[in-house]
Amino acid sequence: MAGLLGFLGRGPERHAPDAARGDKGPFLEGLMQDVPLSIPDILDHAACFHGAREMVTRTLEGPIHRTTYADLHLRARKCAQALKRLGVKPGERIATLAWNTYRHFEAWYGIIGTGAVCHTINPRLFEDQIVYISNHAENPYIFTDTTFVPILEKIADRLDSAKAFIVLADRAHMPKSKLKNLICYEDMIAAEDGRFNWVRMPETAAAGLCYTSGTTGNPKGVLYSHRSNILMYLASGVGDGISLHSSDTILAVVPMFHANSWGLVYSAPSNGAKLVLPGMKLDGPSVYELLETEKVTFTAAVPTVWLMLLQHLEANNLKLSTLKRVVIGGSAVPRRILEAFEDNYGVEVIHAWGMTETSPIGTLCVLKAGQTDLPRAEQVKIKLKQGRPIFPVQLKIVDDEGKALPHDGKAFGRLMIKGPFIAKAYFKGEGGDPLDADGYFDTGDVATIDGEGFIQITDRAKDVIKSGGEWISSIEIENIAVGHPKVAEAAVIGLYHPKWDERPLLIIVPKAGESVTREEILAYLEGKIAKWWMPDDVVFIEEMPHTATGKIQKTALREMFKDHVLPTAK
Ligand code: ADP
């Protein structure tokens, strides 16, 4: 029995017989219908079976807007009809530069419904990156919110493929702009009757395009298919996952330009859940207002959004009266966020890990049978991990030679991932072949996997601190440091040390109005981390540099502190 368990799930040997998958030998063909997975079918289903279910948007203009899946279905088809009239061809990449709103949702389905590819561009990127991405994707049309028209005005003459910009507004709110080729979205769809049959595509056809932020080098395009997007949201939607119900009300704080809004743009309509979209206001008071007035039961976003919400709740002594579950990912969930949600507000936290290249959900952290009976402190330890792979995702960790490491929760190595919604290449072949000999994608993350299959990310491979030949996890020190009541944000980078190669430097942004000393921080860490992980120095800055996806930008910090000499290195 022990031998069998070892083979099934306890370690890397489970991945060894991989060659047996997809054998070519003679086989008996199944007799089931070959219906291709198709994204527009999701909206047909929502309109047909949940037609009266609401979508609520905080518009950029201010007021709350209400519509239904039946109406969205009609307007998305009008949008597709208009795009076809503009000459959009299947496979062309049509961009969106937009917040989460009902018009962005309609454009999403409208674009894909013409057989084209919905290319979401993150508006927080630098202008040069937006120019690069749009030219690389050869966008003939760019849907844009009014708020991003000034950006487009600045870069329009460098956008080589753009024929026109479709402004997601009605005539009354069209901005005065020096751009000549502006189309008013509401006028554009008002000219159509909506009698449009979605263009049918094979399920492997491209449907979505999203570029990784490219912290090093140019951004690279991840090209999703109908099949990969549908499989991802189905796989992550299981009971031990996002597990949505028609009775749920979802606040999609995670932007649609952040890797398919983690699948919510599909799972909400397909489950007939009410969907609430926050527009451009993601601050604590605005998010709180929507959570309460719309009676939200489920939401998802990166930790920085939840820090803003929790500060608002604490400062005003507020409660969350309907929220049941929150998915948090994109960076590691700090203990203080987990405990505040679960212990103070009775909201279950599901920690998620993934990346643009994984569509994006790869793992979700939901306790297993047996773990739900553990003492609270043990449960918290597990819940701070990034979770277990969702089937059919396969994961392994490997050493520098590519050899699989054991699932013992101790060995850490590069996290490799494989599955039907994991990228096999980047758009136009940028960056070469990202897969290993067994077809696994190198995530660039370093992780452990424990005996129950829970992964814990210790670092990005490029951020790992190598001290005396051993690795120090910057994420773990950061997560403990932000638990200090006077600390707003914390980051750890490795700096040169003559004896140990590298030693950790802890960089702190104090909370507004607080002052805190190096000694207070070090005393707080004492006993919470291994002695040799203790930072050799603590420095304070006013503002943390962030990437366009809200992550701490370690490259900028390394640049900022490149001349800093650790006291132990003098
Ligand atoms: P980018 O790298 O362009 O910012 P992604 O949003 O794809 O874009 O980032 C993916 C990376 O974010 C992962 O490889 C990992 O390093 C980090 N990440 C995502 N979720 C988590 C998490 N729950 N804990 C720690 N790191 C995470």
Side-chain angles (χ1 to χ4, degrees):
M1 186 64 184
L4 181 64
L5 274 181
F7 177 73
L8 285 178
R10 295 260 171 212
E13 58 274 45
R14 128 173 210 264
H15 299 290
D18 211 42
R21 284 166 202 268
D23 272 352
K24 290 281 183 303
F27 63 92
L28 181 63
E29 188 79 56
L31 290 173
M32 308 310 283
Q33 300 180 8
D34 291 318
V35 179
L37 298 173
S38 172
I39 288 170
D41 287 349
I42 297 172
L43 200 51
D44 286 353
H45 176 87
C48 186
F49 299 106
H50 307 281
R53 198 72 167 126
E54 261 189 324
M55 175 182 289
V56 179
T57 300
R58 186 194 292 283
T59 60
L60 308 195
E61 296 83 18
I64 296 291
H65 171 276
R66 290 174 192 278
T67 182
T68 61
Y69 284 126
D71 199 41
L72 290 160
H73 184 236
L74 176 65
R75 286 168 52 93
R77 279 178 294 147
K78 287 184 175 187
C79 175
Q81 226 171 352
L83 289 175
K84 199 141 185 229
R85 199 180 298 282
L86 286 172
V88 169
K89 305 260 175 333
E92 279 190 311
R93 283 75 58 194
I94 308 300
T96 68
L97 201 60
W99 303 106
N100 287 8
T101 68
Y102 68 100
R103 289 186 181 123
H104 193 184
F105 179 94
E106 291 162 6
W108 183 295
Y109 279 91
I111 293 166
I112 297 174
T114 61
V117 177
C118 180
H119 171 202
T120 52
I121 300 182
N122 183 341
R124 297 192 186 112
L125 292 170
F126 298 123
E127 284 163 14
D128 284 351
Q129 287 176 316
I130 297 178
V131 170
Y132 173 85
I133 286 174
S134 181
N135 287 343
H136 190 266
E138 300 168 73
N139 301 139
Y141 294 98
I142 300 178
F143 284 83
T144 177
D145 274 329
T146 50
T147 42
F148 305 123
V149 170
I151 298 180
L152 291 171
E153 284 175 343
K154 276 197 242 161
I155 61 176
D157 58 352
R158 289 193 283 150
L159 298 175
D160 301 336
S161 323
K163 294 184 202 157
F165 307 102
I166 303 166
V167 183
L168 294 161
D170 59 14
R171 178 58 49 194
H173 292 91
M174 280 297 281
K176 286 201 179 49
S177 168
K178 59 178 190 216
L179 286 174
K180 279 185 275 334
N181 37 0
L182 286 190
I183 297 173
C184 168
Y185 175 76
E186 288 294 339
D187 286 358
M188 178 182 92
I189 65 167
E192 306 296 340
D193 62 11
R195 266 182 246 160
F196 181 83
N197 292 322
W198 304 126
V199 175
R200 308 307 301 185
M201 305 290 284
E203 65 177 20
T204 49
L209 177 63
C210 188
Y211 282 71
T212 59
S213 334
T215 30
T216 52
N218 277 324
K220 295 197 281 291
V222 179
L223 195 59
Y224 307 115
S225 63
H226 289 257
R227 175 183 152 84
S228 68
N229 268 0
I230 289 180
L231 289 179
M232 191 284 293
Y233 95 77
L234 291 177
S236 60
V238 294
D240 257 11
I242 288 188
S243 178
L244 290 173
H245 300 262
S246 58
S247 53
D248 273 312
T249 295
I250 302 168
L251 176 64
V253 182
V254 51
M256 282 153 71
F257 57 74
H258 201 175
N260 304 305
S261 58
W262 303 355
L264 295 180
V265 70
Y266 306 124
S267 49
S270 86
N271 283 291
K274 173 174 155 183
L275 187 57
V276 183
L277 301 175
M280 61 189 277
K281 292 206 165 163
L282 308 182
D283 58 282
S286 303
V287 167
Y288 178 71
E289 188 186 57
L290 283 181
L291 288 173
E292 288 297 302
T293 54
E294 297 304 326
K295 299 190 173 29
V296 170
T297 56
F298 175 95
T299 183
V302 294
T304 34
V305 168
W306 304 126
L307 276 179
M308 292 191 285
L309 175 75
L310 291 170
Q311 273 165 18
H312 176 66
L313 296 179
E314 283 155 20
N316 298 285
N317 203 14
L318 299 168
K319 287 271 162 281
L320 292 166
S321 53
T322 55
L323 188 63
K324 293 199 190 87
R325 284 175 304 134
V326 53
V327 172
I328 312 181
S331 354
V333 176
R335 176 185 287 265
R336 94 161 189 246
I337 293 188
L338 177 83
E339 292 185 332
F341 268 121
E342 297 209 335
D343 301 339
N344 304 347
Y345 300 102
V347 177
E348 182 192 352
V349 170
I350 302 172
H351 192 174
W353 167 88
M355 54 201 311
T356 308
E357 291 90 331
T358 65
S359 297
I361 297 179
T363 68
L364 287 167
C365 191
V366 175
L367 296 181
K368 277 180 161 179
Q371 294 175 331
T372 46
D373 302 326
L374 290 172
R376 179 68 184 150
E378 293 297 308
Q379 288 186 8
V380 168
K381 249 197 219 159
I382 301 169
K383 297 196 81 157
L384 288 171
K385 297 191 175 192
Q386 279 72 9
R388 300 177 265 132
I390 52 173
F391 183 79
V393 160
Q394 300 175 61
L395 286 179
K396 64 177 177 181
I397 44 173
V398 298
D399 63 16
D400 286 346
E401 279 74 53
K403 199 168 116 303
L405 294 166
H407 295 187
D408 60 6
K410 292 192 187 78
F412 46 104
R414 284 183 93 95
L415 184 63
M416 311 290 289
I417 187 166
K418 181 173 178 175
F421 44 89
I422 311 301
K424 65 177 174 188
Y426 291 101
F427 189 40
K428 299 186 176 172
E430 300 297 338
D433 179 3
L435 307 187
D436 75 2
D438 298 323
Y440 281 80
F441 176 88
D442 186 342
T443 66
D445 285 335
V446 174
T448 60
I449 306 179
D450 69 21
E452 298 290 348
F454 287 72
I455 68 159
Q456 181 152 30
I457 306 285
T458 53
D459 255 311
R460 295 289 288 166
K462 57 184 188 298
D463 297 334
V464 153
I465 300 164
K466 293 184 196 83
S467 178
E470 301 281 349
W471 287 0
I472 296 177
S473 162
S474 64
I475 293 184
E476 202 165 329
I477 306 177
E478 288 159 6
N479 277 353
I480 296 171
V482 288
H484 189 286
K486 291 181 181 170
V487 171
E489 281 187 284
V492 175
I493 57 170
L495 285 190
Y496 168 75
H497 191 282
K499 179 164 176 206
W500 304 108
D501 290 337
E502 275 188 330
R503 291 292 305 156
L505 169 73
L506 174 57
I507 302 156
I508 299 275
V509 177
K511 276 191 186 160
E514 296 284 2
S515 73
V516 56
T517 64
R518 178 181 189 275
E519 287 65 38
E520 277 177 84
I521 299 289
L522 290 175
Y524 181 78
L525 294 179
E526 196 83 49
K528 295 192 178 78
I529 52 174
K531 259 212 170 76
W532 66 277
W533 281 29
M534 282 298 268
D536 284 27
D537 204 1
V538 185
V539 291
F540 300 89
I541 56 174
E542 272 169 26
E543 206 186 326
M544 198 60 89
H546 288 112
T547 67
T549 44
K551 285 163 212 182
I552 293 175
Q553 202 171 9
K554 298 246 169 128
T555 43
L557 289 175
R558 279 193 278 269
E559 182 58 29
M560 209 184 281
F561 290 97
K562 67 176 193 300
D563 299 325
H564 186 87
V565 181
L566 294 169
T568 50
K570 278 176 190 156

